[in-house]
C-alpha cells in the first residue's frame, strides 16, 4: 500500500472523512511509528473501529515520540479500543491532547482511560463527549482526577452521567486544582 501520510508533511495533517478502515489505520500506524515530523494528526470521522484499527493506532502511540495531538472522534471505537489506547497513554510521554469524542466508549473503556490518567503525566486535554459513559465510568474518572495533576480540560458532556456522576466529579474537584474546564 502506498503511503497515506505524504513525506513532506510537517506539523499537522488532517485526514478526516476519508473512509479509512482498520487496514488503513494499520498503515497509518506503521508510518506514525517512524515519523519524526508530525506533531498532530486528525483521523476523525473515519471507520477505524474497535479492533485492529484502534489496536494499531494505540501501538503507534506507545512508541511515537512526536505526536502531541491526536483526534480520533467518530471512529466507532468501543471499550476494547479505548482500553488499548489507554494502555498506550500509560507509556506515552508526549501526547498532550486526545480527542476520543463521539465513539462507543462505555464504562469499561472509561475505567481503562481512568487507569491511564492515574499514570500519565503529559495529557492536558481529554475529550470524551458523546460516548456511552455512565455513573460507573465517570466514578472511575473522578477517582483518577483525585490523583492526576496534569489534565486541565476534560469534556464529558453528552454522556449518560446523571446526578451521581456529577456528584463524583464535584467531589474530585475538591482535591483537583488543575482541571479548569
Amino acid at each position: 500500500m502506498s503511503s497515506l501520510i505524504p513525506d513532506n508533511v510537517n506539523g499537522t495533517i488532517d485526514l478526516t472523512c476519508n473512509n479509512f478502515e482498520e487496514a488503513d489505520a494499520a498503515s497509518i500506524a506503521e508510518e506514525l511509528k517512524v515519523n519524526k515530523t508530525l506533531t498532530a494528526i486528525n483521523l476523525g470521522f473515519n471507520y477505524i473501529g474497535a479492533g485492529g484499527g484502534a489496536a494499531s493506532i494505540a501501538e503507534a502511540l506507545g512508541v511515537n515520540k512526536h505526536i502531541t495531538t491526536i483526534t480520533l472522534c467518530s471512529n466507532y471505537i468501543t471499550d476494547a479500543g479505548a482500553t488499548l489506547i489507554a494502555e498506550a497513554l500509560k507509556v506515552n510521554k508526549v501526547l498532550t491532547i486526545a480527542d476520543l469524542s463521539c465513539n462507543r466508549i462505555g464504562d469499561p473503556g472509561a475505567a481503562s482511560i481512568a487507569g491511564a490518567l492515574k499514570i500519565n503525566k503529559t495529557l492536558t486535554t481529554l475529550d470524551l463527549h458523546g460516548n456511552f459513559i455512565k455513573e460507573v465510568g465517570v466514578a472511575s474518572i473522578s477517582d483518577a482526577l483525585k490523583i492526576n495533576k496534569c489534565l486541565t480540560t476534560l469534556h464529558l458532556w453528552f454522556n449518560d452521567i446523571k446526578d451521581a456522576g456529577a456528584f463524583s466529579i464535584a467531589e474530585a474537584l475538591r482535591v483537583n486544582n488543575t482541571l479548569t474546564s
Side-chain angles (χ1 to χ4, degrees):
M1 177 179 267
S2 64
S3 176
L4 294 171
I5 301 174
D7 291 333
N8 61 347
V9 174
N10 289 310
T12 301
I13 189 165
D14 187 345
L15 297 172
T16 56
C17 301
N18 277 292
N19 295 318
F20 289 148
E21 295 180 353
E22 290 188 9
D24 302 308
S27 296
I28 290 168
E30 287 304 312
E31 294 179 54
L32 290 178
K33 288 179 185 177
V34 296
N35 187 291
K36 293 179 172 63
T37 60
L38 285 179
T39 57
I41 185 165
N42 187 340
L43 290 167
F45 301 94
N46 284 293
Y47 301 97
I48 290 172
S56 298
I57 296 297
E59 185 180 333
L61 288 176
V63 298
N64 183 287
K65 295 181 177 24
H66 302 281
I67 298 287
T68 59
T69 302
I70 190 158
T71 302
L72 294 168
C73 64
S74 299
N75 265 294
Y76 302 94
I77 296 171
T78 62
D79 292 326
T83 297
L84 295 168
I85 291 167
E87 289 303 311
L89 290 176
K90 289 179 181 179
V91 297
N92 185 291
K93 306 273 191 256
V94 295
L95 195 68
T96 58
I97 299 170
D99 182 349
L100 296 168
S101 64
C102 300
N103 280 293
R104 296 177 175 171
I105 301 168
D107 289 343
S112 295
I113 291 168
L117 290 177
K118 290 178 179 178
I119 297 167
N120 183 286
K121 304 284 188 238
T122 58
L123 197 66
T124 59
T125 301
L126 177 61
D127 192 343
L128 291 171
H129 87 267
N131 279 288
F132 301 107
I133 301 168
K134 296 182 179 184
E135 285 90 352
V136 172
V138 81
S140 297
I141 291 171
S142 296
D143 287 343
L145 291 177
K146 294 174 184 174
I147 297 167
N148 182 289
K149 302 297 180 212
C150 268
L151 203 64
T152 59
T153 303
L154 174 64
H155 296 289
L156 289 171
W157 54 278
F158 202 57
N159 279 288
D160 194 16
I161 293 172
K162 306 222 189 281
D163 291 345
F167 180 75
S168 69
I169 290 287
E171 286 296 311
L173 293 177
R174 290 179 187 234
V175 295
N176 180 307
N177 296 320
T178 57
L179 198 63
T180 58
S181 67

